[in-house]
Amino acid sequence: RQAQNRYCHFCQHIKIKKSKSMKGCSRPECVRRFCEHCLQVHLGEAAGGDASTWECPLCRKVCCCTGPGCSRTHRHCKAYRYRVRRAQQAAHTAPVQPVPPAPVVEGRQGG
């Protein structure tokens, strides 16, 4: 099993002092974590329940991330679209590295 993410999927914060307020998905292939506050705000899920059998909203297909492009204006999707847009801009504006000149070997003549 991979180590779970430290950040909440929705708000991208780390809840260090309140680690009990973070829930991790019980599926071995999933590494996502969610803070209980965001689960309540975004999905209306109450805190509690058995953490050993809890599946995250993405695995249950109830998070807007599982859809073909959420156009809602809630904070999570706005932040997600912002991160995607910034990554695309960075990919297009990455500086082109100059090709270093070929090393010159002394005593050789071009021919």
Side-chain angles (χ1 to χ4, degrees):
R1 180 174 171 88
Q2 298 176 6
Q4 291 195 327
N5 292 340
R6 294 173 29 188
Y7 301 95
C8 171
H9 174 75
F10 285 120
C11 68
Q12 298 298 310
H13 289 123
I14 302 174
K15 311 291 188 207
I16 294 174
K17 293 182 180 177
K18 299 180 181 178
S19 63
K20 292 180 183 175
S21 68
M22 295 288 286
K23 291 180 96 173
C25 187
S26 62
R27 295 179 64 167
E29 66 275 7
C30 182
V31 296
R32 294 179 195 91
R33 289 182 63 184
F34 296 79
C35 66
E36 291 179 352
H37 172 77
C38 286
L39 288 170
Q40 175 65 42
V41 169
H42 293 290
L43 301 173
E45 288 189 17
D50 186 6
S52 66
T53 59
W54 183 78
E55 288 188 359
C56 77
L58 277 89
C59 291
R60 288 182 283 144
K61 306 276 190 256
V62 296
C63 181
C64 54
C65 289
T66 60
C70 180
S71 61
R72 293 169 45 192
T73 58
H74 56 248
R75 179 180 177 189
H76 170 58
C77 283
K78 286 172 69 174
Y80 175 75
R81 286 191 297 266
Y82 174 77
R83 288 193 306 271
V84 168
R85 190 170 51 250
R86 289 292 303 242
Q88 289 171 342
Q89 289 173 347
H92 292 313
T93 60
V96 176
Q97 298 294 328
V99 177
V104 177
V105 178
E106 289 187 33
R108 261 183 111 178
Q109 294 181 0

